[in-house]
Structures are given as structure tokens and as C-alpha cells.
Amino acid sequence: MIEDPFEQVAFLGFDVFGTVVDWRSSVTRLAEPFLRRHGVHVDPYRFADEWRALYQPAMERVRSGERPWVKLDVLNRENLETVLSRHGVDVGQIPETELIDLNLAWERLDPWPDSVEGLTRLKRRFAIGPISNGHMAGMMKLARFGGLPWDIIVGAEVAKSYKPQPETYLKSAAAVGLPPERIAMVAAHNEDLAAARALGFRTVFVRRPREHGPAQTSDLEPRSNWDVIAGSLLEVAEVLGCG
Amino acid sequence: MIEDPFEQVAFLGFDVFGTVVDWRSSVTRLAEPFLRRHGVHVDPYRFADEWRALYQPAMERVRSGERPWVKLDVLNRENLETVLSRHGVDVGQIPETELIDLNLAWERLDPWPDSVEGLTRLKRRFAIGPISNGHMAGMMKLARFGGLPWDIIVGAEVAKSYKPQPETYLKSAAAVGLPPERIAMVAAHNEDLAAARALGFRTVFVRRPREHGPAQTSDLEPRSNWDVIAGSLLEVAEVLGCG
């Protein structure tokens, strides 16, 4: 008899940016009118990539203790000003409301085409929620924007730490009232799953080969024998008996 | 032109025990087989009332600083043992699994008949979530049990403090990313609304005249001019244009 490693699992925790939502297309689309209006000469896809590229270094300053924990929207806003400045924009001359609005792009990201239906099916068997580096209000607005049927929002803000730091996973587990072995982390990023597995979580790898566009080189394939490896959240639902 | 006090409101925070779910009928029904099996001679309704009566004093020990903040399920479990002992039960003789199971009654409470449809309608206009003294995992399981369509769970655990302490409301507001005046507290309890209003929240009173059974004397009527006064969550939805 084959043991089902998900028999005892009661909660699926999701990475969100890249795994559930397509941040690159959405940020590009939302930034394009701003860039045009202000005469910023940069391809909007490149702008989205450059903005996103500042995400890990900004969190690293928090992880390292160089600065206290702040919510992701604060980091995103700082990074926005950095990337605009690099393209010669005098940020002080941009109306504050426009900067606020552009930063809110991260709360208006389209789900991948399979996400809403996949989550809806998975929710029949498991409680579901983000274990994301996004902040709670941002995750809430993203869910309302895209129709993501979360049962709860945990992750970085609950833990006051950023993945892949262990606290982010462990405090999220404590908040949903389950030990790590009864939770599966679902992510398109090998590093995220490696950190979760090291703590005892089950792991689900979802291929998102276009997260970074057609030239993506990272996370194209699973780097370990994750418990489930799938091409979409619908496939995850099927594998876990929620088809 | 009449000003709509809810024009700027973006989030409705709900009291849950009594306002959204009927704890008394549910705890009574779930406790009855336990009491019968162990020969505890007490009316199950009275048992539920006695268990619940220990809820405020237990939280008060946390509010006063006499003990550190603990999640509500811990308090409920302690209170269960107290009330069983009062009825002559030797708690140490009861199998641990039975005590755990009985304590989980607080995560299996039926919504009032209007709750799910009322919340579903309100969710079209507002983000919604508990600002309850319940803990996050309990609120999540209660939502899955009853089909409560929350967007987010905030409240006591997010704040590490129990209502009506100001931190519970203010840290919940911070977590949803809104100032108090853009949030309405929805509750069947005047004290809850008074605490919220003092901090700048909008207020919605829902009459729940049978929360404590047919002999209820508390909170039968609004004690102040709350912004909305209604007989059900469906009526709240109607008043707020989500009919």
C-alpha cells in the first residue's frame, strides 16, 4: 500500500507572486501609461523586471537585520523610486497620488489562468492561504481583485520576517494551528520549497516557466524530488484528488 | 444632500461569537452527548451558558496583565475543565481526546440563518473579516465549517490583545491597511461598538435577542445612536446598498 504523503495535510500555504499571479504582465500593463505620460524611455517589461529585481535585495536588508521589518508595500515604494531615478526621473516632481497608484500595481495582479479554478478545487479538501512575502492588506486586495478564495492570510506580516527565513513558515504554521508536517508549501520557486522542506513541510512545485517572460532561466524545473510536481494548480488539484 | 457615513468605508470587521454564529445552540448540541456519556447531571443549555460565562473573566486576566496573552482555545479549554469540575467531574479521568474534541465545539458553531447570505452580499461592496476575540485558526475553521466568506482574519491574535482593549481594533485596522474611519465594526454587543466608536470606527448594531436564549436580558436594544441598527446581516446588507 502506497502511503499518501498528503493524508495528514490540512493546509496548503501558497507562494503568491509568480506562483498564483502573473506579476510581470500585470505590472508591465499598469506601468506603461505612467511611463509614457512622463516620457520615461524604457521598455515597460524591462521596467517591471528592474522593479522586481530590487525585491530580493530589499528584503535581504530586513533579513540580515540591517533594518527592522517593514511591510512589502514600503519596500516596493522605495524600489519604485530607485528604478525611476535610474531612468532619469526626478521623483520629487511626480505627484504623490501617481506614485501611490503605480505602487498599488502589486495589488492588481492577474491570476494565472488556472489559479482561481485550481484554488477553488483544492479548497474543497484543504484549508488554503498565502504564505507569501506580501503584507496582509496587499494579499487581501489581491484576492479581491483576482477572486482568490483564501481561507486565511498568513505569511511575512504574521511572522514579521521574510521567506526563506524559518520564522515566516513556522509562525504561519502556528497561526493556522498545525505542525509543519500537516502543511504543504506550494510554490514555483525551488528555494522556497527547500526552506519549507527543511522545516518539515510537504512540498508542491508548480512550473511557471513564463513568470519572468520568454527568456526565463530560473526555476524551469524542480531541483529536488518535491512531493508533487505539476504544471498548473489544476494539475495540483487533480493529483491531490480534488479534480 | 445627506452624507453617507459609509461612503469611505472599505472594510467591515465582525464580532463573530453571537453576532455571526449561534454559539449557544451549537455548544449545547455538541456537549449533550458528552454530558450524557459521562453522567454529568446538568441541563446542556445551562452547561453551555456556564462555560461561556467564564469567557470574559478569563480574558480579563489577560487584559489586566495578570497573565500573558494566550489564544482563545487555551482559555476555552481551561474554562471547560473548571465547569466540568464544578459539576463533580474528575477531569483527569476523561480521555484527553474527548476533552480536545469537546473544546473544538467552538470551531463548529452554526451561523445564524441570515449570516452567510448577508456576508456574501456585503462582500460585494466591502472587504470583510472577523475582528473577534477568537484565534486565527479557530476563525478559519469556523469559516470553513459554516461557509463564512471572509476576505481576511484579523482580531485578537493579530493584536495579541482582547477586545475591548483599543489595540485589538487598532492593530486589526493596521493589518487591513485602513484608518479607523474607513472601517465599520459590526456587532451584537453595545460594549464592542462603544470601544470601536471611541477609536473612530463606524458602527453597525445587529440585534441578536436569542444569543443567550429566550431569557436574554443584555444587548436587546442599541444603547447609542450607532450608524446602522438592524435585525439581521441581510438587513445590514440592504441598508448599505448591497441588497
Side-chain angles (χ1 to χ4, degrees):
Chain A
M1 193 177 138
I2 296 167
E3 193 195 345
D4 174 2
F6 284 77
E7 195 187 328
Q8 297 297 318
V9 168
F11 184 80
L12 304 182
F14 290 78
D15 175 66
V16 173
F17 302 116
T19 301
V20 177
V21 301
D22 173 12
W23 58 265
R24 187 172 187 263
S25 302
S26 305
V27 170
T28 298
R29 191 184 65 247
L30 293 163
E32 193 276 332
F34 176 96
L35 298 171
R36 188 161 25 86
R37 196 164 57 243
H38 293 284
V40 188
H41 296 292
V42 55
D43 173 72
Y45 279 104
R46 192 177 145 198
F47 179 81
D49 289 339
E50 289 181 357
W51 192 0
R52 179 68 172 179
L54 298 173
Y55 171 74
Q56 287 295 341
M59 288 192 295
E60 192 50 37
R61 292 187 55 211
V62 174
R63 293 188 198 109
S64 69
E66 185 183 333
R67 66 183 290 187
W69 190 84
V70 291
K71 298 183 193 184
L72 188 62
D73 57 347
V74 173
L75 299 179
N76 282 340
R77 171 60 187 266
E78 294 171 0
N79 295 342
L80 172 60
E81 298 190 15
T82 301
V83 71
L84 285 172
S85 298
R86 283 185 190 166
H87 288 283
V89 175
D90 181 352
V91 175
Q93 296 301 308
I94 308 277
E96 174 64 16
T97 51
E98 287 197 43
L99 295 170
I100 289 171
D101 189 62
L102 182 51
N103 202 41
L104 288 176
W106 295 96
E107 302 177 359
R108 296 172 191 149
L109 306 173
D110 295 327
W112 295 109
D114 54 276
S115 291
V116 173
E117 180 61 22
L119 292 176
T120 301
R121 291 190 196 177
L122 288 163
K123 184 171 171 153
R124 292 180 202 148
R125 175 172 171 188
F126 306 98
I128 60 171
I131 299 183
S132 160
N133 280 333
H135 60 304
M136 291 182 78
M139 283 293 119
M140 177 181 81
K141 287 190 269 181
L142 207 50
R144 286 183 63 83
F145 177 82
L148 310 174
W150 304 128
D151 290 301
I152 194 169
I153 293 169
V154 290
E157 185 172 349
V158 165
K160 302 275 188 291
S161 82
Y162 283 115
K163 293 188 294 180
Q165 288 193 306
E167 294 74 20
T168 321
Y169 306 92
L170 295 175
K171 291 189 180 173
S172 295
V176 299
L178 294 167
E181 63 270 22
R182 299 198 58 200
I183 301 178
M185 185 73 210
V186 183
H189 309 123
N190 285 284
E191 185 196 39
D192 200 351
L193 298 181
R197 175 179 273 185
L199 300 165
F201 287 68
R202 301 288 173 261
T203 50
V204 177
F205 181 79
V206 186
R207 278 191 189 83
R208 296 298 191 193
R210 303 281 287 207
E211 176 187 355
H212 295 278
Q216 178 166 330
T217 56
S218 60
D219 290 313
L220 293 174
E221 290 298 332
R223 257 192 352 237
S224 296
N225 60 338
W226 309 123
D227 298 310
V228 173
I229 294 167
S232 72
L233 293 181
L234 283 169
E235 198 183 327
V236 175
E238 198 176 334
V239 172
L240 296 182
C242 316
Chain B
M1 195 176 137
I2 296 166
E3 194 195 344
D4 175 2
F6 284 76
E7 194 187 328
Q8 296 298 318
V9 168
F11 185 80
L12 304 182
F14 291 78
D15 175 66
V16 174
F17 301 116
T19 301
V20 178
V21 301
D22 174 12
W23 59 265
R24 187 172 187 264
S25 303
S26 305
V27 171
T28 298
R29 190 184 65 247
L30 294 163
E32 193 277 332
F34 176 96
L35 298 171
R36 188 161 24 86
R37 193 163 60 245
H38 293 284
V40 188
H41 296 292
V42 55
D43 173 74
Y45 278 105
R46 193 178 145 197
F47 179 81
D49 289 338
E50 289 180 357
W51 192 2
R52 179 66 172 180
L54 297 173
Y55 171 73
Q56 287 296 342
M59 288 191 296
E60 192 53 35
R61 291 186 56 210
V62 174
R63 293 189 198 109
S64 69
E66 186 182 332
R67 66 183 291 187
W69 190 84
V70 291
K71 297 183 192 183
L72 188 62
D73 57 347
V74 174
L75 300 179
N76 282 340
R77 171 60 187 264
E78 293 171 0
N79 295 341
L80 172 60
E81 298 191 16
T82 301
V83 72
L84 285 172
S85 298
R86 283 187 191 167
H87 288 283
V89 175
D90 181 352
V91 176
Q93 295 303 308
I94 308 277
E96 174 65 15
T97 52
E98 287 198 43
L99 295 170
I100 289 172
D101 190 62
L102 183 51
N103 201 42
L104 288 177
W106 295 97
E107 302 176 358
R108 296 170 191 152
L109 306 173
D110 294 327
W112 296 108
D114 54 276
S115 291
V116 173
E117 180 60 22
L119 293 176
T120 302
R121 292 190 196 178
L122 287 163
K123 185 172 170 152
R124 292 180 202 148
R125 175 172 172 188
F126 305 98
I128 60 171
I131 299 183
S132 161
N133 280 333
H135 61 304
M136 291 181 79
M139 284 292 119
M140 176 181 81
K141 286 189 269 182
L142 208 49
R144 287 181 63 82
F145 177 81
L148 310 175
W150 305 128
D151 291 301
I152 194 169
I153 294 169
V154 289
E157 185 171 349
V158 165
K160 302 274 188 290
S161 82
Y162 282 116
K163 295 188 294 180
Q165 288 192 306
E167 294 74 21
T168 321
Y169 305 93
L170 295 175
K171 290 188 181 174
S172 295
V176 300
L178 294 167
E181 63 270 21
R182 298 197 59 201
I183 301 178
M185 186 72 210
V186 183
H189 310 123
N190 285 285
E191 185 196 38
D192 201 350
L193 298 181
R197 175 179 273 184
L199 300 166
F201 287 69
R202 300 288 172 260
T203 51
V204 177
F205 181 80
V206 185
R207 277 190 190 85
R208 295 298 191 193
R210 304 280 288 208
E211 177 187 354
H212 295 278
Q216 178 166 331
T217 56
S218 60
D219 291 312
L220 293 174
E221 291 298 332
R223 259 194 347 239
S224 295
N225 60 339
W226 309 123
D227 298 310
V228 173
I229 294 167
S232 72
L233 293 182
L234 283 168
E235 197 183 327
V236 175
E238 198 177 333
V239 171
L240 296 182
C242 317

